[in-house]
Amino acid sequence: MIDRRSLVAGGLLFGGLALGPHMALAAAGTRQRLVFIILRGAMDGLAAIPPVGDPRLVQLRGALAAPPEALGAPIALSPDFAAHPALSGFAGLFAAGEAAVVHAVASPYRERSHFDAQNVLETGGNAAYALKDGWLNRLLPLLPPAPPPVAISATLPALLQGAAAATSFAPSRLPDAGAGLKARVAALYDGDPLLHRLWSEAMATERLAVSAGAASGPQNAAALATTAARLLADPAGPRIAVLDVGGWDTHAGQAPRLAGQLRQLDAVFAALKAGLGPAWADTLVIAATEFGRTVAANGTGGTDHGTGSAALLAGGRVAGGRMHGDWPGLARLHEDRDLRPTSSLNGLFAGAVAGLYGLDPDLVVRRVFAAAPDRAMAGLIRP
Amino acid sequence: MSSAAIALNRFGLGARPEMTPPADPQAWLRTQIDSFDPRPGLLAGLPGGAAMTVQYRENLARLRRAGIGGLPRRPGDPEPLQGKAAETAAAEYQQQRRQAFRQAYGAQVQARLALAISGPTPFAERLVHFWANHFAISIDKLATATMGGPLEFEAIRPNIAGRFADLLLAVVRHPGMLFYLDQAQSIGPNSLIAQAARRRAAPRQPGLNENLAREILELHTLGAGHYTQADVQGLARALTGWSVGGFVRRPIGLPAPDGAFVFQPNWHEPGAVTVAGTRYAQDGADQAEAILRDLAVHPQTAQRVAGKIAQHFVADVPPPALVARLADVWRSSGGDLPALYRALIAAPEAWAQPLAKFKTPWDWTVSVARALPKADRPDPRLVLMLNELGQPVWRPGSPAGWPDDAARWAAPDALVRRVEVASRMAQLGGGIDPRALAQRLLPGTLSARTASAIARAESPAEGLALLFVAPEFLRR
């Protein structure tokens, strides 16, 4: 449920624009930026960030254990892990201490439905559809006031739904309505408080995005990431953005498809860094997926739905250049088929946001992840 | 005048320009329940749940034989394809399946739109949509991809003017619901089949699935907070054996036609169960049927569903006195739906305030289409527009269905989408004079500001677009 009564947040958006981009709205507490990337479709963490020199990987995956030769060799991140060659930009960030990986992580969900698992990831709950609001929405009252978080998508994802205000922005696939009509619509809503407010917010977001150089029409993920980054970079803009990157469900033909997906994700990280500019130093990016994939390959050059996967972190605030979490190895698998998860996504999220915003991690767990609490992961954020 | 507008736009699906506003709005609504046709000719040609069950079964068999998707293999299956051949087969299969889906889904949505736009009983059609949302499935599963239409046309339409118990039973027995909530293969832990599997030490033990039982208790009847986990288990055990004909290998007992409800005695969990404080010791399928019939007339079900229907027809926060009266009618009539509808129509609260509800994307799109000149068939682009507006038909993504309040649908970006769609649809208006149309569609609710904005538009098409996004048209 989107509650639009958060006047402070709405006011900041317009107030900032009226006063100009250099007005000091960036008081302490509103410098941090958070970008959450929902990787929809179950990203194969074992292929994105493979363990180095584990014979079981080759045994179980056969040809899929290594990326196609034409793409180059995996890029070493640490003595025990490497990155898929398509993640070359991310590997560079890792080497520069601006990216990290949490491996063998999963939500409490243990079945195989994408939609149900995504719901658990987004609501931070114990079971699908147990909670009606997203964990990121529940976090908002703990943060300093700021313009509402924005999802770069057509509708508000469950992650941002709830009592606190949040908004969505997406270039539409419909032809633009035209400036003339839009101006008349504004006049039409003069006497209707609800519609007037919604329309003003929509036009303000649109102006912000257009002035930030956002193109219209269908766009790829990197272009949407640029839009998000520019919205976040603006001192009068939102402080939290949510992006969707789908297409990870590689049941067949994984080798070429995953390479393309990882290239796209790599471009998203690069676009965020470029678009945020100096604000990158105060940013945390979290990319997480609803579950991983089977260790063994299936009969169609792909993998099926699994359990543990990897989450990717980036940004100036990350305690980077490190592998976080607790690698269980591939000797003992979950249900004899999947990477065994040793950390929980909720623990990761709690630790990350507590570190980013300087909150007490236990408080975050109690208030945001009460339905499926887990110890907040320490050490993810640079002090 | 505004009670005519309420009858046409809030109870109905939107005024049509050639209709004269009803002189007796309440009578106009009541007669529609009597004259409603659940099986109009328009639906006769559409493949139903039976055909879709067969298609699903064949899809699964293809997947299994080709070794795609991790399905357990059966003796007699050919060797699974490998490497390139497997990838090609998988890609081909996906393409064919997508095409078949687009065709079937497209035809079903077109039929729903045609009935909504041109059918003679719009109030009854709205009730069909309401119940289809109350008993929502979502078509984003392989098993239910083409079951949206069949569930609505076969289980809901024929039962909106009887007792709630019969509607509930028809829905629970439909393959769309049985597949969506994983009931079709729920097996009792002490059933004959489970015992045999244990004796054989079979690698995969069949199991109990609680999904359908939980959603019946939480979403269809009593509601959250009014049942316990023990109730879920009891109902789930009673429901074991409720399955879909033509879907199970080696069915025991009387064979059932494809897609028809079948009860598998060997899957049924023996023994009595207790649900919502009552003990049920019936045999076989009678056990769950008895539970469902009792749930259908339970006072809490009456309260909850009365609240939902009042929310849909009167206000986002319905007046408690109205909900209480509707629940009373439910209880004293044993869940008789026409009695409920009559009480709703007669309620003064329902006529007190026009424009109390913000239209959902479906409501709004249908009302726009109704306002335009009649066409032979609904514009095929309407399906895409509904997707863009955020309410793809039969795809709410969860069994809770679509929310029914403004907070969900009245959002900045959503409003921009409506303006874009209105601008597009207005091109289909031909030479209509939007000022006259506004008067006809919004008797008694058209404001001076809107009328003047329409009059000052730079073209009839622009005026029409403004009419469609006017505050009085965005609400009902």
Side-chain angles (χ1 to χ4, degrees):
Chain A
M1 203 175 71
I2 308 165
D3 180 293
R4 302 247 164 246
R5 282 172 284 157
S6 183
L7 296 172
V8 174
L12 274 177
L13 184 61
F14 309 136
L17 286 175
L19 295 170
H22 303 295
M23 285 309 291
L25 280 172
T30 54
R31 269 203 337 270
Q32 290 88 344
R33 269 83 164 173
L34 175 64
V35 181
F36 193 94
I37 307 174
I38 308 176
L39 303 171
R40 296 193 189 275
M43 179 186 79
D44 190 347
L46 278 177
I49 310 287
V52 169
D54 189 329
R56 286 269 291 173
L57 191 65
V58 182
Q59 220 173 42
L60 291 167
R61 287 211 154 178
L64 270 191
E69 275 190 31
L71 296 175
I75 308 167
L77 295 178
S78 75
D80 300 313
F81 290 93
H84 189 287
L87 286 175
S88 56
F90 182 81
L93 290 176
F94 193 98
E98 291 179 356
V101 175
V102 185
H103 225 317
V105 67
S107 76
Y109 182 79
R110 285 291 173 275
E111 291 171 56
R112 310 274 175 208
S113 153
H114 287 298
F115 297 102
D116 293 354
Q118 284 169 22
N119 183 274
V120 172
L121 182 158
E122 296 183 68
T123 58
N126 215 353
Y129 308 109
L131 301 176
K132 305 290 177 252
D133 56 356
W135 66 260
L136 193 44
N137 192 292
R138 292 196 294 278
L139 177 68
L140 293 175
L142 299 181
L143 305 181
V150 62
I152 312 295
S153 65
T155 51
L156 207 66
L159 180 65
L160 281 179
Q161 286 181 24
T167 187
S168 65
F169 170 76
S172 165
R173 267 171 295 178
L174 295 161
D176 192 50
L181 178 59
K182 286 185 196 165
R184 288 175 195 272
V185 169
L188 194 59
Y189 293 158
D190 257 343
D192 190 303
L194 171 66
L195 296 176
H196 171 81
R197 184 159 47 74
L198 296 177
W199 189 251
S200 308
E201 254 181 67
M203 292 299 102
T205 308
E206 211 177 77
R207 276 196 294 276
L208 195 57
V210 165
S211 75
S216 58
Q219 290 174 40
N220 63 19
L224 296 176
T226 301
T227 300
R230 291 191 178 153
L231 286 171
L232 291 173
D234 189 305
R239 286 291 165 268
I240 300 176
V242 173
L243 292 167
D244 265 1
V245 178
W248 298 96
D249 198 21
T250 47
H251 286 285
Q254 175 162 312
R257 277 185 59 194
L258 189 62
Q261 286 289 125
L262 290 171
R263 255 194 297 273
Q264 194 184 47
L265 182 59
D266 208 46
V268 165
F269 284 118
L272 287 172
K273 176 165 183 176
L276 280 160
W280 176 253
D282 293 311
T283 295
L284 170 66
V285 183
I286 306 175
T289 193
E290 68 266 25
F291 43 64
R293 306 195 75 82
T294 49
V295 182
N298 63 19
T300 48
T303 48
D304 298 319
H305 298 173
T307 312
S309 189
L312 306 183
L313 308 179
R317 298 287 297 135
V318 165
R322 298 177 40 195
M323 298 293 301
H324 295 271
D326 196 5
W327 179 247
L330 297 176
R332 199 157 60 85
L333 299 178
H334 175 75
E335 281 182 16
D336 264 333
R337 51 179 270 173
D338 305 337
L339 177 64
R340 196 160 62 80
T342 53
S343 307
S344 75
L345 281 177
N346 283 358
L348 189 172
F349 300 151
V353 302
L356 178 66
Y357 295 107
L359 299 169
D360 172 17
D362 291 331
L363 175 72
V364 172
V365 171
R366 272 200 320 273
R367 294 270 275 272
V368 178
F369 295 104
D374 206 342
R375 210 164 43 82
M377 277 183 85
L380 296 173
I381 305 295
R382 198 185 289 283
Chain B
M1 268 318 249
S2 66
S3 54
I6 290 176
L8 289 169
N9 298 321
R10 174 132 45 96
F11 281 90
L13 292 169
R16 278 213 309 267
E18 72 275 9
M19 285 168 70
T20 17
D24 185 346
Q26 295 194 19
W28 180 69
L29 296 174
R30 281 193 306 268
T31 55
Q32 292 184 41
I33 302 303
D34 300 321
S35 58
F36 171 65
D37 179 4
R39 292 178 185 85
L42 194 55
L43 298 178
L46 287 177
M52 296 313 170
T53 299
V54 171
Q55 210 175 73
Y56 175 48
R57 189 181 63 209
E58 284 171 3
N59 277 336
L60 285 181
R62 263 185 84 174
L63 283 172
R64 204 193 69 241
R65 283 193 294 266
I68 307 171
L71 290 164
R73 314 201 32 79
R74 291 184 191 167
D77 280 342
E79 271 310 301
L81 301 169
Q82 295 293 346
K84 220 44 183 105
E87 290 178 26
T88 317
E92 245 175 48
Y93 160 77
Q94 290 291 14
Q95 199 187 25
Q96 280 171 11
R97 194 179 56 74
R98 268 195 275 271
Q99 210 171 0
F101 163 75
R102 269 197 292 267
Q103 214 168 8
Y105 176 69
Q108 291 168 17
V109 176
Q110 282 289 85
R112 190 194 221 229
L113 281 167
L115 289 168
I117 297 170
S118 322
T121 52
F123 172 51
E125 294 296 328
R126 177 180 282 285
L127 286 167
V128 171
H129 308 154
F130 170 78
W131 290 118
N133 193 46
H134 180 73
F135 291 109
I137 63 171
S138 196
I139 59 170
D140 29 43
K141 264 168 109 140
L142 179 66
T144 53
T146 50
M147 284 290 190
L151 180 70
E152 183 171 307
F153 305 151
E154 296 171 344
I156 302 208
R157 288 187 75 91
N159 291 293
I160 65 162
R163 286 178 187 272
F164 182 73
D166 296 315
L167 175 58
L168 174 64
L169 279 162
V171 166
V172 170
R173 287 178 175 143
H174 194 274
M177 186 59 74
L178 291 167
F179 284 138
Y180 182 55
L181 293 178
D182 310 307
Q183 176 61 33
Q185 289 193 298
S186 176
I187 291 176
N190 298 300
S191 64
L192 294 172
I193 265 236
Q195 291 180 36
R198 274 197 291 275
R199 280 195 301 269
R200 275 196 335 263
R204 282 162 60 103
Q205 296 289 326
L208 185 70
N209 189 296
E210 292 180 355
N211 268 356
L212 178 60
R214 182 175 40 250
E215 306 303 4
I216 288 174
L217 290 166
E218 170 152 353
L219 299 175
H220 301 161
T221 58
L222 304 176
H226 296 279
Y227 65 90
T228 64
Q229 178 57 18
D231 293 329
V232 173
Q233 277 165 0
L235 180 54
R237 287 203 291 273
L239 282 169
T240 48
W242 285 47
S243 186
V244 180
F247 183 66
V248 184
R249 206 160 52 114
R250 296 202 299 262
I252 311 291
L254 295 172
D258 292 326
F261 172 70
V262 66
F263 177 73
Q264 301 280 345
N266 281 21
W267 295 12
H268 185 65
E269 177 72 1
V273 299
T274 301
V275 177
T278 304
R279 191 166 176 279
Y280 296 90
Q282 294 88 341
D283 287 327
D286 292 345
Q287 189 182 42
E289 177 169 341
I291 300 173
L292 292 173
R293 287 200 179 280
D294 282 351
L295 287 173
V297 295
H298 192 289
Q300 179 50 39
T301 299
Q303 179 71 20
R304 179 158 177 282
V305 186
K308 280 189 79 175
I309 207 170
Q311 185 190 47
H312 184 80
F313 282 98
V314 178
D316 284 355
V317 182
L322 169 63
V323 176
R325 282 199 326 271
L326 293 175
D328 266 336
V329 168
W330 186 299
R331 280 193 295 272
S332 56
S333 71
D336 183 71
L337 294 176
L340 183 73
Y341 305 150
R342 282 193 299 272
L344 181 64
I345 292 167
E349 295 96 329
W351 302 93
Q353 203 194 339
L355 305 178
K357 293 282 296 177
F358 193 83
K359 288 180 184 170
T360 63
W362 167 257
D363 273 344
W364 180 77
T365 306
V366 168
S367 66
V368 169
R370 286 173 67 91
L372 291 167
K374 229 28 129 52
D376 284 335
R377 332 166 316 146
D379 193 316
R381 290 171 299 176
L382 289 174
V383 183
L384 301 169
M385 297 198 187
L386 285 163
N387 292 353
E388 279 292 308
L389 291 170
Q391 197 178 18
V393 178
W394 299 311
R395 196 154 55 91
S398 102
W402 302 106
D404 208 346
D405 60 337
R408 170 64 164 82
W409 302 112
D413 210 47
L415 207 49
V416 176
R417 293 283 162 281
R418 293 204 189 184
V419 171
E420 288 165 350
V421 171
S423 175
R424 240 207 163 177
M425 302 275 285
Q427 312 293 334
L428 306 170
I432 315 176
D433 181 346
R435 294 164 301 187
L437 185 62
Q439 299 286 354
R440 289 200 72 85
L441 298 180
L442 303 170
T445 53
L446 179 67
S447 70
R449 180 192 306 269
T450 298
S452 124
I454 293 173
R456 291 201 308 263
E458 68 177 25
S459 68
E462 192 183 66
L464 207 54
L466 286 170
L467 168 60
F468 293 152
V469 298
E472 307 92 310
F473 202 92
L474 289 175
R475 298 186 173 95
R476 59 180 175 95

